[in-house]
Amino acid sequence: MAPTDRSFARRRLLTATAALTGAALLGGTAHAAETPRKAAWPDRFPLPDGFQPEGIAIGTRPFGYFGSLADGAVYRASLATGRGSVISKGLGEGHPTVGLKIDPHGHRLFLAGGDSGEIRTVDARSGAIEKVYATGGTFVNDVILTPGAAWFTDSFKPQLYKLRLGGHGEPLDVETVPLTGDWVQGDDFTANGIERTPDGRALLVVNAFADGGTLESVDPRTGVARAVDLGGAKIPNGDGLLLLGRTLYVVQQAQNAVDVFRLNAAGTKGTTITRITDPRFRIPTTAAAWGDRIYLPNARFDVDPTPTTDYDVVAIPRV
């Protein structure tokens, strides 16, 4: 297998063997399918067959952007109609797009390049690839934007990548920030989703290995990590993170669930609110919000992908 094939084969194996881990540690469970939804906008729509989605980004307009693990392509869909098209063809096999984010102006996409070790920026309007950065990393997984920087996780190395941004949001250069403190690196997928704390002073990073799955608060200046107190809850299959106010959504992809926590302002402590499940979940990986809905792509890591494998996106109500 190529490096990408090995990485995602390991991920599918983890998904298949860990599906129920940690479920009993959460309190109430919300079933998203039981909540009425707006009839006008679809709460489920297809992505291209064989696309292999993982990441999602939604900006200030009602469009979802999805990255392909197969070839790094980016697909844009209207949330109002569910229809869309590929806007960026990517760099082909061996250059996947995992996590992605769009800047506040809707002009630029920031892509995590998986085990290509790349960080890429793409013009969100034309789909043209602007810049490609070789980080030397093993698996660049997810990304979050902060004032002045885009931050990326590496699932196989205890470090973050900081892509500095200029005064107009233009990408500059990449700096590697080692993770220390409470950070414990595993032999397989460790760092995954990334967000900001509610007060914006620190970063939140999923550690799928340490203590059975933890959330870590990372000082962006030093890289020192401290475990967030989640009251005993574990996130062993934690993938994408979505923070809305002080409400943190953690996509537990292997468990076909989204765990929801209420954080304090500093992001050092969280209280379990609920677990969201939905019969339409088929290994969701990441989440993004528009209005009163949260959208999640189904990555289907429990099946071997083919050019005809079907993929879709589902919408659930915000808590």
Side-chain angles (χ1 to χ4, degrees):
M1 291 183 177
T4 300
D5 296 331
R6 289 198 300 270
S7 296
F8 288 111
R10 283 196 296 269
R11 194 164 189 176
R12 286 194 293 271
L13 178 61
L14 291 172
T15 296
T17 58
L20 297 178
T21 304
L25 293 173
L26 289 163
T29 299
H31 301 282
E34 296 173 357
T35 305
R37 298 179 183 86
K38 296 176 182 178
W41 286 25
D43 59 10
R44 186 174 193 172
F45 55 84
L47 295 174
D49 287 351
F51 189 73
Q52 298 184 46
E54 211 277 0
I56 179 175
I58 298 175
T60 57
R61 300 178 63 203
F63 292 92
Y65 296 81
F66 305 89
S68 170
L69 300 177
D71 58 10
V74 176
Y75 181 88
R76 180 176 63 196
S78 166
L79 303 181
T81 66
R83 295 190 293 270
S85 61
V86 171
I87 64 163
S88 179
K89 292 183 179 180
L91 295 176
E93 185 178 356
H95 301 272
T97 293
V98 191
L100 72 164
K101 289 292 185 291
I102 189 167
D103 72 16
H105 306 292
H107 296 164
R108 179 175 289 112
L109 290 160
F110 296 80
L111 314 182
D115 56 8
S116 70
E118 296 167 348
I119 290 170
R120 300 189 296 274
T121 61
V122 168
D123 187 309
R125 294 158 294 186
S126 69
I129 297 174
E130 298 176 329
K131 291 187 177 182
V132 179
Y133 299 86
T135 66
T138 307
F139 194 95
V140 185
N141 195 323
D142 206 356
V143 55
I144 189 66
L145 299 180
T146 66
W151 292 86
F152 297 78
T153 58
D154 190 314
S155 291
F156 291 108
K157 289 186 177 181
Q159 58 196 34
L160 302 177
Y161 304 111
K162 178 184 179 182
L163 173 57
R164 293 194 310 114
L165 304 178
H168 299 287
E170 68 276 14
L172 301 176
D173 51 27
V174 176
E175 172 187 350
T176 298
V177 180
L179 292 168
T180 60
D182 290 345
W183 191 265
V184 180
Q185 185 69 26
D187 295 330
D188 215 301
F189 271 78
T190 301
N192 205 326
I194 185 169
E195 252 289 1
R196 298 175 67 192
T197 55
D199 63 10
R201 297 182 179 181
L203 303 170
L204 295 170
V205 180
V206 171
N207 186 314
F209 172 77
D211 196 26
T214 61
L215 184 67
E216 311 260 341
S217 174
V218 178
D219 186 328
R221 297 166 301 174
T222 64
V224 174
R226 294 287 179 253
V228 176
D229 178 5
L230 295 180
K234 307 294 183 184
I235 50 173
N237 310 126
D239 200 330
L241 300 177
L242 173 64
L243 182 71
L244 300 175
R246 293 192 184 181
T247 303
L248 180 70
Y249 297 79
V250 181
V251 184
Q252 290 272 56
Q253 42 117 321
Q255 299 175 40
N256 280 316
V258 179
D259 295 340
V260 188
F261 300 91
R262 173 75 173 177
L263 300 180
N264 62 359
T268 58
K269 186 175 182 179
T271 303
T272 297
I273 297 176
T274 190
R275 161 167 286 188
I276 302 171
T277 61
D278 193 300
R280 300 170 301 157
F281 285 169
R282 299 189 293 173
I283 316 296
T285 44
T286 50
W290 178 264
D292 60 358
R293 288 178 169 185
I294 295 172
Y295 292 82
L296 306 97
N298 278 316
R300 305 197 67 190
F301 287 145
D302 55 340
V303 302
D304 290 325
T306 73
T308 60
T309 302
D310 67 289
Y311 296 97
D312 62 359
V313 180
V314 298
I316 59 175
R318 287 176 55 167
V319 172

